[in-house]
Amino acid sequence: MDCSSKYNINQSKISLKLNPVPILFNKNGPSPKKIKLSDNFHRNANFFANGNSLPKISIQDQRRNLPIFEKRNKLLEIIKRHKTLIIIGETGSGKTTQIPQYIYSARLQENGKIAVTQPRRVAAISIAMRVALEHGNGMSVGDVVGYSVRFEDVTSKKTKIKYLTDGMLLREAMLDRLLLDYNVVILDEAHERTIHTDILFGVVKSAQKIRAERNHPPLKIIIMSATMDVDHFSRYFNNCQAAYLEGRTYPVNIFYTVKPHDDYQTSCVATFFKIHQEAPANHDVLIFLTGQEEIEACAHQIRLLAKDPDVEGPPVRVCTLYAAQPNSQQMAVFQPTPSGTRKVVISTNIAETSVTISGIKYVIDGGMVKSRSFHPSTGLELLKIQRISQEQAWQRSGRAGRQSEGFCYRIYTRSQFELMKPTSIPEIQRANLNSVALQLLALDIHMLHFDFLDKPPKDSIQAAFEQLKLLGAIEDIDSIALTSLGKKMARFPLDPKFSKILLSAEQYGCLQEALTVIALLSSESILTTPRSKRDQAESVRQKFRSGYGDHITLLNIYREFDTIGQKKKRNWCHEHFINFRNILYVQDVRSQLEEICKNFDLHISSCGSQIDQLRKCLLTGLFMNVAELQRDRQYVTLDRRQVTLIHPSSVLHGQQPAYVVFTEVVQSTKCYLRGIISIEGEWLREIAPDYLRNHNFRYSKDC
Ligand code: ADP
Ligand code: MG
């Protein structure tokens, strides 16, 4: 297609259903930031030209073609010389897949292992698979190259290169602060500044120092990224050196809309169909949206429209990618598409960094992201859709240039882009810190005394310690020691509120049920409700509905699923509009949590039909998430008197229980509570009397 001119969405074919206003794009690039031809581009530029598929070159040749390959020896020399090193290299240069293999071949890890952290599960898994394949000799993932993510460990005694999420390495640090299993730790995608990576900076820095003092084998630390503030990181790591790698950046042609488009979802679909009608079938498309609901709606729309006889273009395979999907579903985006079929991946910011989805030639960037932010002043953690940062916009467009020249359509104007924040705020400065505060205490570190790269706000730290005290994990907010309950809570890979629930469940005789509910809360929704079959789905699931709320409804579903014979489970799920994979994931998570409970010798009993026991038990962890009905049918949170409503997706929507417990707050035009259970007011007095005394009387204000 002619990418240098403005284009109109073909109104006659699709715009009637999509967008009354044609979307005009301006080619407003190449940007000031390095979007340029590099040497290798000339060599490989024709990969996708004229609709031909990728030439079949061996995987070892692919490795040799990477820009990093020529620098291999020099790089190894630098790595050998420095105990801490920052490596900056453009996306696609081969940092994540190659550097660990080079280190391994040079045996720099000696008798230890190499850890490579990733902020996201899907990156850790897909990269480990790719590297296992590259490493070759018929070895599969789990041999020399393995991965470990929450609830899934694919490593063995032979594993030397271990890709793992930053959260998992932090868990390992809880068992061994010095990380003696590893002689090399690579913290990848450092610019993403996830809360876990931020904590790991301090953990590895201290492990390196203590290991040197105690004559343990030295720990080599490598910080990697495509873009970051090198000086800031270098200062933090005792003025360590930084190495710059030249990248293989294929040019990405950037387009901006001529005018703002508020309905970015529809605009993404319209833009997709414009590309779809013109581009060769093997040019795949990656669309960035914000979350499951948006992504599924967009996927549905594309699937429908692609079948419309009026819409030209090859067959389409639509894949979706968001954090809460089970691993198996996430991995589907990496499967090759039959020739003559176009793949479109609709993803959250998961696909923004690290992962390579082969074949992507076009990126459509909706420009928005759903991010979690914690407000110490309101005590609420909100999921909010907001504009991305410029750094994220560049990362997103970079996904189009991984294997050949690409195109990025930004559903925002050039001036909207210029108004975006240059970089994202580190998660540690906007998140609820109670989980990490607990994990650090398990490492005998008090957050106030932790060596942070950037300190989180004091009031967030204060709020985290107050919560941990209320949950009984610490005696008082200055404690540096966990109570015995706190120590147990830290062993679960869960939010402390949820681990508290599991640890209280024995007392209420409902650990069976609590395990199920917490596993359900740790997984993606098990309900699938296609728009066209909403009534049918609701009627067949009617029998599970509980007047006590969403979690009990889900529990009822799981209980019945559990009684169905192994061979019939899939069918049963299909009939009841239950996502089979998601419920299997719940089953798996549940059994892993049960294992931890068994290690504590907890008695796994069932409360049967005495659901009050379970409701009370849930309150032991969630008493800070209680809202009270007001005369105007709105709910006010007890904690900070926030005015909220019950989300329309809740089974309790339209009913008005006097008190509810919620598990999530979402903000759109109003503040909504999601995941609701009704409770009796007097239980609060029984279960959390201290909390109630302190929080009952505050004045009301809107969110
Ligand atoms: P970096 O970490 O520097 O961004 P990677 O090491 O992840 O780069 O990937 C380097 C290159 O290796 C990619 O640009 C791509 O060409 C190739 N590659 C990586 N993973 C895959 C994969 N799963 N399938 C096909 N090619 C891949
Ligand atoms: Mg990488």
Side-chain angles (χ1 to χ4, degrees):
M1 66 191 277
D2 174 12
C3 59
S4 60
S5 59
K6 294 178 181 181
Y7 76 81
N8 289 321
I9 295 294
N10 185 339
Q11 287 234 30
S12 62
K13 291 275 160 49
I14 54 168
S15 63
L16 286 178
K17 296 163 196 160
L18 294 168
N19 194 346
V21 193
I23 301 172
L24 295 176
F25 283 96
N26 253 343
K27 186 177 185 198
N28 220 342
S31 73
K33 202 154 170 175
K34 311 153 236 159
I35 296 227
K36 61 174 189 231
L37 277 165
S38 74
D39 297 340
N40 284 354
F41 169 71
H42 294 293
R43 242 188 287 150
N44 300 316
N46 290 328
F47 272 9
F48 287 94
N50 310 320
N52 294 331
S53 55
L54 271 169
K56 290 263 176 285
I57 53 171
S58 77
I59 201 158
Q60 293 314 328
D61 280 344
Q62 287 178 39
R63 289 187 68 193
R64 278 189 281 272
N65 277 342
L66 288 171
I68 201 171
F69 184 74
E70 289 164 17
K71 309 278 160 34
R72 185 178 180 276
N73 291 335
K74 203 163 163 204
L75 187 62
L76 275 171
E77 212 171 279
I78 301 174
I79 294 176
K80 221 183 271 177
R81 240 186 300 130
H82 296 277
K83 57 181 191 173
T84 307
L85 183 68
I86 295 171
I87 300 180
I88 306 285
E90 282 187 47
T91 168
S93 55
K95 299 180 296 299
T96 311
T97 54
Q98 306 308 305
I99 290 176
Q101 296 190 75
Y102 296 167
I103 292 175
Y104 174 75
S105 333
R107 300 282 180 265
L108 297 190
Q109 80 285 359
E110 297 181 352
N111 292 326
K113 292 181 197 157
I114 305 162
V116 191
T117 64
Q118 293 295 318
R120 299 200 173 81
R121 195 156 57 107
V122 65
I125 302 172
S126 68
I127 293 165
M129 286 180 164
R130 169 75 184 183
V131 174
L133 197 71
E134 289 185 0
H135 200 69
N137 304 332
M139 278 195 272
S140 55
V141 71
D143 285 331
V144 172
V145 183
Y147 68 84
S148 168
V149 299
R150 190 168 87 137
F151 300 127
E152 198 180 343
D153 183 354
V154 184
T155 58
S156 64
K157 287 208 176 90
K158 283 191 259 169
T159 303
K160 288 288 178 189
I161 304 177
K162 184 159 157 190
Y163 287 90
L164 72 181
T165 50
D166 44 14
M168 285 311 292
L169 188 61
L170 197 53
R171 297 230 134 246
E172 291 191 13
M174 270 166 49
L175 300 176
D176 172 19
R177 267 185 79 170
L178 299 184
L179 294 166
L180 288 167
D181 247 8
Y182 304 99
N183 285 341
V184 181
V185 171
I186 302 178
L187 302 177
D188 200 3
E189 306 295 355
H191 68 277
E192 281 220 24
R193 303 293 306 272
T194 60
I195 206 164
H196 289 142
T197 298
D198 260 29
I199 300 278
L200 280 173
F201 292 142
V203 169
V204 294
K205 189 177 162 186
S206 131
Q208 186 185 57
K209 182 162 171 270
I210 299 172
R211 278 166 67 157
E213 287 163 2
R214 296 189 190 162
N215 283 330
H216 286 303
L219 175 66
K220 197 175 281 300
I221 303 171
I222 299 176
I223 314 293
M224 289 201 310
S225 174
T227 53
M228 65 186 209
D229 179 350
V230 173
D231 292 344
H232 188 45
F233 276 80
S234 169
R235 266 196 306 277
Y236 176 78
F237 283 106
N238 308 316
N239 298 317
C240 71
Q241 289 281 311
Y244 295 82
L245 290 170
E246 278 171 38
R248 178 175 67 184
T249 320
Y250 293 104
V252 177
N253 299 277
I254 310 275
F255 298 85
Y256 295 89
T257 55
V258 172
K259 56 188 195 59
H261 285 262
D262 285 345
D263 187 355
Y264 58 91
Q265 300 169 44
T266 308
S267 304
C268 283
V269 176
T271 305
F272 168 74
F273 278 101
K274 177 67 187 165
I275 295 165
H276 183 56
Q277 286 170 7
E278 299 182 1
N282 62 340
H283 288 188
D284 295 338
V285 182
L286 171 61
I287 303 179
F288 285 103
L289 287 174
T290 72
Q292 181 186 8
E293 279 168 40
E294 234 177 68
I295 287 172
E296 290 298 349
C298 175
H300 178 72
Q301 221 174 350
I302 291 181
R303 283 189 190 110
L304 270 187
L305 283 166
K307 285 190 206 137
D308 187 323
D310 282 346
V311 174
E312 290 166 20
V316 182
R317 173 180 289 177
V318 184
C319 302
T320 57
L321 187 59
Y322 40 85
Q325 279 169 324
N327 296 342
S328 55
Q329 211 168 325
Q330 291 191 331
M331 296 313 291
V333 305
F334 298 100
Q335 277 160 18
T337 341
S339 75
T341 299
R342 183 183 328 281
K343 176 156 77 178
V344 50
V345 178
I346 315 170
S347 173
T348 59
N349 56 343
I350 292 193
E352 208 167 86
T353 48
S354 298
V355 296
T356 298
I357 303 170
S358 145
I360 299 294
K361 180 91 168 166
Y362 289 89
V363 164
I364 303 173
D365 176 9
M368 307 299 275
V369 66
K370 194 185 275 184
S371 84
R372 201 173 276 284
S373 56
F374 176 65
H375 300 265
S377 61
T378 62
L380 289 183
E381 200 173 22
L382 284 176
L383 264 179
K384 207 169 160 182
I385 292 175
Q386 57 195 40
R387 281 236 168 268
I388 54 171
S389 64
Q390 291 183 355
E391 185 182 70
Q392 286 179 292
W394 289 119
Q395 287 283 353
R396 289 179 177 195
S397 54
R399 300 295 103 190
R402 294 284 278 188
Q403 292 169 305
S404 67
E405 178 178 4
F407 303 87
C408 175
Y409 289 90
R410 294 180 168 169
I411 310 294
Y412 38 89
T413 63
R414 174 94 204 186
S415 28
Q416 281 177 314
F417 169 78
E418 273 155 11
L419 286 173
M420 288 172 178
K421 289 188 300 280
T423 53
S424 315
I425 302 170
E427 193 183 4
I428 202 149
Q429 297 188 330
R430 55 181 166 81
N432 178 343
L433 299 175
N434 64 11
S435 268
V436 268
L438 180 70
Q439 280 179 289
L440 282 177
L441 285 174
L443 290 165
D444 298 324
I445 302 167
H446 192 287
M447 225 178 196
L448 275 178
H449 314 303
F450 187 67
D451 179 14
F452 283 106
L453 178 59
D454 292 296
K455 273 204 185 317
K458 267 222 165 86
D459 46 357
S460 292
I461 298 183
Q462 176 85 9
F465 279 87
E466 274 171 15
Q467 287 206 356
L468 290 181
K469 177 170 183 280
L470 285 165
L471 289 167
I474 48 177
E475 294 287 352
D476 64 75
I477 62 168
D478 303 320
S479 309
I480 50 161
L482 289 170
T483 58
S484 64
L485 175 69
K487 283 182 190 152
K488 287 181 181 167
M489 282 163 70
R491 293 281 298 278
F492 289 92
L494 295 171
D495 185 295
K497 291 177 182 171
F498 293 165
S499 31
K500 170 72 185 286
I501 291 170
L502 292 181
L503 290 164
S504 326
E506 189 181 40
Q507 177 193 342
Y508 290 92
C510 63
L511 187 49
Q512 288 279 12
E513 288 75 18
L515 280 166
T516 307
V517 170
I518 301 302
L520 282 158
L521 286 171
S522 308
S523 321
E524 188 44 38
S525 170
I526 56 166
L527 307 179
T528 52
T529 313
R531 284 172 179 220
S532 54
K533 295 184 181 162
R534 178 165 290 168
D535 291 347
Q536 196 185 335
E538 278 178 10
S539 109
V540 71
R541 293 197 303 242
Q542 180 62 29
K543 62 179 171 183
F544 302 120
R545 264 180 103 93
S546 162
Y548 293 133
D550 300 306
H551 305 82
I552 315 297
T553 303
L554 292 173
L555 172 69
N556 290 341
I557 295 174
Y558 189 88
R559 276 176 160 175
E560 185 161 318
F561 169 81
D562 218 22
T563 63
I564 306 293
Q566 208 57 33
K567 286 190 184 142
K568 295 187 179 152
K569 279 190 188 318
R570 186 188 284 271
N571 249 345
W572 180 89
C573 284
H574 185 71
E575 283 160 17
H576 291 85
F577 295 90
I578 303 298
N579 185 313
F580 183 56
R581 286 199 195 123
N582 289 8
I583 203 163
L584 287 184
Y585 181 73
V586 171
Q587 199 174 29
D588 187 26
V589 170
R590 190 187 181 287
S591 65
Q592 296 191 42
L593 295 175
E594 188 174 335
E595 218 34 55
I596 303 175
C597 291
K598 281 185 184 153
N599 286 339
F600 293 137
D601 287 330
L602 295 179
H603 180 55
I604 308 195
S605 56
S606 163
C607 63
S609 58
Q610 289 178 302
I611 291 301
D612 280 5
Q613 292 300 98
L614 175 64
R615 290 160 70 211
K616 284 185 182 175
C617 172
L618 292 174
L619 194 57
T620 62
L622 291 167
F623 56 87
M624 288 170 256
N625 294 15
V626 171
E628 183 182 20
L629 180 68
Q630 305 297 294
R631 284 213 187 100
D632 57 5
R633 297 179 160 211
Q634 305 203 77
Y635 280 82
V636 159
T637 62
L638 283 197
D639 202 17
R640 310 286 161 114
R641 312 306 292 176
Q642 294 290 313
V643 177
T644 57
L645 291 166
I646 291 186
H647 196 273
S649 66
S650 169
V651 296
L652 291 182
H653 179 66
Q655 300 178 34
Q656 275 103 39
Y659 290 92
V660 295
V661 162
F662 54 90
T663 40
E664 205 176 9
V665 184
V666 272
Q667 188 175 32
S668 47
T669 44
K670 296 203 171 114
C671 236
Y672 289 102
L673 306 177
R674 218 160 46 178
I676 316 260
I677 327 153
S678 68
I679 52 149
E680 303 298 331
E682 65 261 26
W683 293 349
L684 261 175
R685 235 161 278 141
E686 178 188 321
I687 289 166
D690 295 345
Y691 172 77
L692 203 62
R693 248 193 311 280
N694 294 338
H695 286 82
N696 222 1
F697 304 104
R698 293 207 188 171
Y699 72 95
S700 172
K701 68 175 192 221
D702 277 348
C703 274

